[in-house]
Amino acid sequence: MNHEALDGIMHPKAIAVVGASATPGKIGYTVLDNLIKQGYTGTIYPINPSAEEILGLKCYPSILDVPGQVDAAVITIPAKLVPQGVEECGKKGVKGLIVITSGFSEVGKRELEDEIVALAHRYGMRILGPNIVGVLSNSDGMNASFAPYLPLPGKATLVSQSGALLIAIDAATYTRGVGFDKMFSIGNMSDLDFADIIEWLNDDPNTSCITLYIEGFKNGRSFMDVCRRATKPIIGLKAGVSAHGAAAAASHTGSLAGAAKVYGAALQQAGVVQASDLDNLFDRTLALSLQPPMNGDNLLIITNGGGVGVLATDSAERYGLPLKFAPPEVQAELKKHMPDFGSAKNPVDLTGMAGNEWYHDAVKYAYAHNWVDGLTILYCETAVTNPMEIAQSIKAAIDESGVNGKPVSVSFVGGERSEKAMAWLVEHGLPAYGAPDRAVNAMAALREYARMKAIASESITPCGDEGRAIAMKVIEHARLDGRDSLTEIEAKQVFSAYGLPVTRTKLATSEDEAVKLAQEIGYPVVMKIVSPEILHKSDAGGVKVNIKDEASVREAFRTIMANAKDYNAEAHIHGIAVQEMAPWGTEVILGSVNDPTFGPTMMFGLGGIFVEVLKDVTFRVAPVSSSQALRMLGEIRGAPILAGVRGESPRDRAAMAETICAYSTMILDLADEISESDANPVLVYAEGKGVKVVDARIILKKK
Ligand code: ADP
Ligand code: MG
């Protein structure tokens, strides 16, 4: 149903414009005019009850009066008339609707929007929009939009949640020289959303890279699934990553933009390359649409200028592709194509004396060499060289090398002649940029794509026990009690049901019982207040550690009780938890949120000041395999602390990863119950010695 509707929308043999107008300036006029004048070769039916003929075409009062089959309909009539228009399209057997009209959920009219989707589905149709600019396709010669012209032809396809931005990007394709085959405006995504369109584009022979402008998703998980399965590069620019930006995006599209870090994690997990801003979106789209992925870390840079070489070296490190020296035999060969004072290390500096031939020979040799996974070629305009000839030498060298499937990026720094040479390179499939940083960043995008794709296609082996029955008993008990948070003791029962290593903990309701439990557990023990109203126990003077004997247990019991009453006289006190005292270890924090877009999501970071001040944490949408969890451990800035610094032995990262994996199983399995949770702190011991969860908290979803 999805493919058929999009085939109908994108390759229609006949298209109707419902609301076609004879008045220039009206959307119903512009769309019709664009279809007629910009290459569409199928049949066009203007629909308007009060006109006989528009722009030389016979006009029909209703789509039902059209004699032949109609595959797609562009709807431009006022919002309140759209339901009737949709119904008539349904009766006519239209496959897909491009609803340009605005005035639906983006202005609070969700019911009207739901109504048109329900109507469309009743007739087996799908809706693109409403509140969109339309769709454009170079390969179909079709501009079914009110954007003034088709984009510069190319191999990328844009899917944009913002209509205004689509029109601007469309115009900018010409000045930036980045070509697109298609552009989809998807607006309110009432029906067809990112996932549907990406799935369709993955089978579109004219699209080699899918470029997304994202404000928010309706269903983050279906987006992730489709992206993971896609075989083409997908690049996304997510707007609304600052708290303020998120609010702006929300009022704009009527859908909530998720937290920046969660989006970042989700896109990465889905194998979607990210762009940092609009410029970067163009730059990376150009590389991803023209070049294959970079399947290893060895980037070689060839340059005729030391300065741009150093700049590129800095960029390579910044973008996660630090340069390595080329192997000796590669250096020896490259030495033949430069003067004595050149350098064959990496960057390979052919020096300012380099002409067409040296470029040609060095590029041809390097590109074909196995050690090289990707090649970035830099050129500074000189008095004695001609940029166009250098460009042609580079292109010839690459073609003659007989190698395929290895990426190249180019940067020429200079004036007009360099600009022209770069435009020629792009036309011939080589992405070229006016600054070395951009050429290296483009290569980094190709590397990120390959890396993420490998990870995204890993299968996720679940870990942790199937603790549902035990967990649900604990949760139901708390709910019967009228609570939406669990005490530490209860939360640890839930954690433990899923195989998380928690400290042995028992509840004492009297001093005598506390003494008995302490003996059972074994000294030293820790004692903590247990009250649903006291979530931050230390703040209430409710935690005593390292209690070594009976007298201290009795004293701690009395002090904690007194402190708790001082802190909150109304608090219901279940008693005092007596628990095993875990030996000292590195403190980390695990937590979860139930993200509105992506559902259960894990957080990991180092405890204490690292999380509170530096916010040094990382996220993953659940489930998280242990190998992914290991990557989380390596991702935080404090990673060296876990790896072992200054004579400290490395921490048990394998056990930590297993724990993250089990935790993620728990939050996914209890997605309907848990709204937020944390294990703060978890103590991590030396390799082979495991981890211990010493505090646990679970906030339930309100029911
Ligand atoms: P809260 O976070 O509610 O104040 P915690 O249970 O996290 O209370 O206890 C406060 C601190 O006491 C912890 O950060 C940890 O350093 C220490 N602690 C708590 N329980 C234990 C335990 N069982 N073994 C060792 N140290 C503990
Ligand atoms: Mg705590």
Side-chain angles (χ1 to χ4, degrees), residues 443-687:
M443 199 56 88
L446 296 164
R447 182 70 193 115
E448 280 164 33
Y449 172 53
R451 275 189 196 139
M452 285 190 303
K453 217 50 209 171
I455 294 169
S457 60
E458 275 175 13
S459 61
I460 293 182
T461 332
C463 34
D465 301 341
E466 260 308 324
R468 193 174 176 84
I470 299 170
M472 286 308 292
K473 227 183 236 170
V474 176
I475 291 168
E476 271 154 21
H477 172 81
R479 287 206 192 276
L480 280 177
D481 215 18
R483 289 185 276 135
D484 52 22
S485 70
L486 302 187
T487 64
E488 179 189 330
I489 293 196
E490 291 165 335
K492 279 185 177 166
Q493 284 165 354
V494 174
F495 280 19
S496 154
Y498 285 88
L500 292 162
V502 299
T503 44
R504 225 157 76 94
T505 305
K506 294 244 156 103
L507 183 70
T509 49
S510 70
E511 234 179 270
D512 288 339
E513 201 182 357
V515 170
K516 205 180 100 225
L517 291 177
Q519 272 157 2
E520 253 177 60
I521 288 167
Y523 289 108
V525 294
V526 174
M527 290 170 68
K528 300 184 200 175
I529 190 73
V530 181
S531 161
E533 281 84 26
I534 304 180
L535 288 178
H536 299 282
K537 303 175 290 286
S538 304
D539 292 354
V543 179
K544 297 277 173 219
V545 300
N546 205 18
I547 299 165
K548 292 189 171 128
D549 52 36
E550 180 179 335
S552 313
V553 170
R554 291 185 184 280
E555 193 193 318
F557 194 95
R558 286 193 293 264
T559 319
I560 291 174
M561 281 296 185
N563 287 350
K565 288 202 174 97
D566 278 353
Y567 183 77
N568 180 353
E570 311 286 289
H572 299 83
I573 291 173
H574 290 188
I576 285 180
V578 181
Q579 62 185 250
E580 120 195 37
M581 166 99 186
W584 179 87
T586 304
E587 283 195 10
V588 302
I589 172 170
L590 283 185
S592 78
V593 290
N594 213 320
D595 184 82
T597 306
F598 297 101
T601 301
M602 287 292 306
M603 186 197 78
F604 164 80
L606 287 177
I609 184 165
F610 290 96
V611 55
E612 276 154 33
V613 182
L614 302 174
K615 310 234 178 318
D616 186 15
V617 291
T618 179
F619 288 84
R620 284 288 188 293
V621 174
V624 183
S625 64
S626 349
S627 52
Q628 274 193 18
L630 273 178
R631 284 187 206 105
M632 291 177 85
L633 303 187
E635 237 159 56
I636 54 168
R637 278 171 286 157
I641 293 175
L642 294 170
V645 274
R646 300 212 179 165
E648 288 274 355
S649 53
R651 305 285 94 189
D652 198 335
R653 284 172 291 184
M656 193 62 237
E658 281 295 308
T659 304
I660 292 175
C661 180
Y663 200 122
S664 84
T665 305
M666 172 184 79
I667 57 171
L668 201 59
D669 197 32
L670 298 175
D672 292 338
E673 305 294 334
I674 299 181
S675 127
E676 280 173 58
S677 71
D678 64 40
N680 181 19
V682 178
L683 301 175
V684 192
Y685 301 112
E687 245 162 34

Side-chain angles (χ1 to χ4, degrees), residues 309-334:
V310 178
L311 287 173
T313 306
D314 292 347
S315 301
E317 190 166 314
R318 184 157 58 240
Y319 302 131
L321 273 179
L323 296 188
K324 294 172 240 164
F325 290 141
E329 87 269 13
V330 176
Q331 294 194 30
E333 176 62 30
L334 288 169

Side-chain angles (χ1 to χ4, degrees), residues 154-175:
K155 292 181 170 180
T157 282
L158 174 73
V159 186
S160 173
Q161 222 169 336
S162 157
L165 194 65
L166 179 140
I167 297 176
I169 290 179
D170 182 18
T173 58
Y174 290 90
T175 51

